[in-house]
Amino acid sequence: MMKSSEIRSTFINYYKKNGHTHVPSSNLIPENDNTLLFANSGMVQFKNSFLGLEKRDYVRAVSSQKCIRAGGKHNDLDNVGFTARHHTFFEMLGNFSFGDYFKKDAIHYAWDVLTNEFQIPKDKLYVTCHISDDEAADIWHRQEGIPKDRIFRFDKDNFWRMGDIGPCGPCTEIFYDHGARAGKESDPFKGIAAGEDRYVEIWNQVFMQYDETSPGVLKPLPKPSVDTGMGFERLVAALQGQFSNYDTELFAPMLDVASKIAKLDYVTDPEVLRSQKDIFERVSAMRVLADHCRAVSFLLADGALPSNEGRGYVLRRIMRRAIRYGRKLSTQSSFLTPMSESLISHMSDFYPELSTRKNHILSTIKDEENRFLQTLDNGTGILQDEIKKLKSQNQKSVSGETLFKMYDTYG
Ligand code: SER
């Protein structure tokens, strides 16, 4: 089985071999860009190169970018923990062309790296193209030999934009079929259209052709470019034969810590998770913690601080969501700090900022945890008093005002 670190380096080395410069991930907080809360994809650090505003000394790049999707246009927060593959923090592998190669080479590289370097069987992959993009569909069919009945056409799902404004264009996506155990829908077109778990989008290649200067106004870019993004955790899941990203080696050490502290097993069998609600809830809580622990640790490493507005507020919401789910597992223990310690020891090789800022990360988590647990306890006490009072008055419901106060002030 290929280890995640090997998967990352195989991708980077493949593109280096093909003339790309390896550019390290940027900070999660975009520099000089108020249109975005966080880096939400690999292209963010190259935005001005796509717009023709910045010239770099390379025209091909490859990266593994730290991304956050919580708050803003691409926001996955509420799904996280309950699906097999949504995350607040994830890594995006990507290759980029700034006015250099376009559709033909981009498609060829993608197919070559997936089917030759990573040896993914071709019959596990499907592709999609924008309804207007006959050229891309033709390249997939004629150049790479993909049968027409494995190439599907969509409209909105095959057009990618970074934010409300900025570079954008039609895209072609690659889906991995996890097979019948992962979902009932055997028709891939229907499964992909419905977003069924069985068919997972692993890679999106955007043909950057426009600058959206205000919503709906598209101006052609000076040079058509390529922006690709592959969900690293999804690729690792496919290559490690796991249906859920959480069951890969990327999350295992943190889940192990959670399971030991809670003294509860972490269960992976999809059948058990489908049929036993209490186990599903327990496992989902552990997954929420593992996901959020990564987002929180990386955000703190990159200089965000919990606060009541903007980026700091998103960070605080993620931390508090994690702490609340931790409470569902055990009211006696805290999870985030030991889980973060485990993450730091497993991921610092590729992201040394984690070990450099270890003390800051752990102490900030501890402080926020203590403060929030105190708030939660105060809130619970106030709510219990209120319920006692209402019962003595023979009333059966708590007022909206009290509930709002509980949510707003007491987390
Ligand atoms: N920017 C595109 C995405 O995020 C491809 O990297 O899907």
Side-chain angles (χ1 to χ4, degrees):
M1 185 178 77
M2 236 177 161
K3 291 188 81 176
S4 57
S5 53
E6 203 187 328
I7 295 171
R8 200 192 281 111
S9 61
T10 300
F11 181 88
I12 292 170
N13 289 337
Y14 173 84
Y15 281 96
K16 277 169 73 177
K17 215 165 55 193
N18 285 289
H20 294 65
T21 299
H22 177 207
V23 181
S25 171
S26 71
N27 192 298
L28 279 166
I29 300 170
E31 242 176 272
N32 306 325
D33 189 344
N34 291 328
T35 67
L36 275 185
L37 280 173
F38 303 110
N40 62 12
S41 71
M43 59 75 65
V44 169
Q45 66 167 325
F46 302 119
K47 180 177 167 187
N48 284 340
S49 305
F50 288 122
L51 294 176
L53 301 173
E54 183 188 340
K55 226 175 150 34
R56 299 187 177 219
D57 54 10
Y58 48 81
V59 288
R60 298 175 170 213
V62 58
S63 69
S64 174
Q65 171 69 41
K66 301 176 281 188
C67 298
I68 293 274
R69 290 195 178 174
K73 186 174 178 65
H74 298 278
N75 180 358
D76 292 334
L77 185 60
D78 292 335
N79 285 327
V80 171
F82 297 93
T83 69
R85 50 192 64 95
H86 282 97
H87 299 293
T88 51
F89 170 89
F90 61 97
E91 290 175 78
M92 190 180 271
L93 302 175
N95 60 289
F96 306 90
S97 153
F98 310 111
D100 186 33
Y101 62 84
F102 201 43
K103 297 184 187 180
K104 278 182 170 214
D105 288 337
I107 287 176
H108 176 67
Y109 289 144
W111 198 245
D112 190 33
V113 78
L114 288 179
T115 60
N116 293 322
E117 296 284 319
F118 291 123
Q119 305 259 309
I120 297 182
K122 292 181 180 164
D123 64 2
K124 287 202 154 290
L125 299 172
Y126 294 91
V127 302
T128 66
C129 298
H130 191 254
I131 41 168
S132 69
D133 198 354
D134 292 342
E135 190 191 354
D138 210 49
I139 295 170
W140 277 116
H141 179 57
R142 284 174 200 267
Q143 179 181 287
E144 303 305 328
I146 315 291
K148 285 190 175 158
D149 62 0
R150 301 180 81 84
I151 304 171
F152 306 126
R153 310 288 288 269
F154 294 101
D155 186 5
K156 281 201 190 101
D157 287 345
N158 280 100
F159 196 93
W160 197 85
R161 8 173 84 79
M162 182 190 93
D164 292 329
I165 55 172
C168 57
C171 57
T172 177
E173 297 178 329
I174 304 174
F175 283 77
Y176 178 85
D177 179 4
H178 275 272
R181 72 176 175 145
K184 289 186 291 295
E185 185 54 74
S186 58
D187 179 321
F189 175 76
K190 286 192 198 149
I192 289 171
E196 241 237 20
D197 266 356
R198 169 173 174 170
Y199 305 95
V200 179
E201 178 205 327
I202 51 171
W203 202 347
N204 184 16
Q205 309 200 65
V206 185
F207 303 121
M208 286 292 185
Q209 279 166 279
Y210 308 106
D211 178 16
E212 190 159 19
T213 48
S214 58
V217 181
L218 301 180
K219 298 218 167 117
L221 287 176
K223 286 185 185 165
S225 296
V226 173
D227 150 35
T228 83
M230 173 141 65
F232 178 56
E233 296 74 9
R234 294 178 180 196
L235 177 68
V236 173
L239 294 176
Q240 296 189 348
Q242 296 296 347
F243 164 64
S244 167
N245 295 357
Y246 290 97
D247 298 344
T248 65
E249 161 236 342
L250 285 169
F251 291 86
M254 284 178 291
L255 289 166
D256 205 36
V257 171
S259 153
K260 284 206 175 92
I261 296 176
K263 300 192 183 68
L264 293 166
D265 286 339
Y266 175 75
V267 175
T268 58
D269 185 339
E271 208 32 64
V272 174
L273 294 175
R274 262 195 289 271
S275 59
Q276 298 196 37
K277 197 164 172 272
D278 57 328
I279 298 188
F280 176 73
E281 279 177 6
R282 168 218 299 179
V283 164
S284 300
M286 291 183 189
R287 289 174 172 177
V288 167
L289 276 159
D291 172 275
H292 290 9
C293 166
R294 296 188 348 141
V296 165
S297 306
F298 275 99
L299 277 169
L300 290 170
D302 277 0
L305 281 172
S307 75
N308 287 335
E309 53 183 26
R311 295 182 172 114
Y313 180 61
V314 177
L315 169 59
R316 176 163 277 165
R317 271 185 64 203
I318 300 175
M319 286 173 119
R320 291 185 164 193
R321 188 168 184 259
I323 296 164
R324 278 202 312 270
Y325 277 92
R327 279 251 141 159
K328 287 182 198 264
L329 293 173
S330 159
T331 49
Q332 302 306 316
S333 325
S334 79
F335 290 86
L336 267 187
T337 320
M339 288 173 80
S340 173
E341 238 174 323
S342 157
L343 170 81
I344 294 169
S345 73
H346 282 91
M347 285 195 81
S348 290
D349 277 353
F350 196 76
Y351 296 107
E353 61 273 32
L354 287 174
S355 53
T356 313
R357 306 213 70 198
K358 180 175 173 177
N359 291 342
H360 165 72
I361 296 170
L362 297 179
S363 63
T364 312
I365 294 178
K366 191 99 229 112
D367 284 353
E368 185 72 11
E369 206 166 32
N370 287 342
R371 196 171 318 137
F372 185 53
L373 288 177
Q374 188 59 52
T375 308
L376 275 182
D377 286 344
N378 292 347
T380 310
I382 294 173
L383 186 62
Q384 275 162 356
D385 289 348
E386 178 76 10
I387 292 172
K388 228 187 261 162
K389 196 172 97 199
L390 291 171
K391 271 190 179 156
S392 71
Q393 295 165 354
N394 258 339
Q395 292 193 37
K396 291 212 166 79
S397 55
V398 180
S399 72
E401 200 187 331
T402 307
L403 288 180
F404 181 73
K405 195 164 138 201
M406 286 296 116
Y407 170 77
D408 195 44
T409 313
Y410 295 101

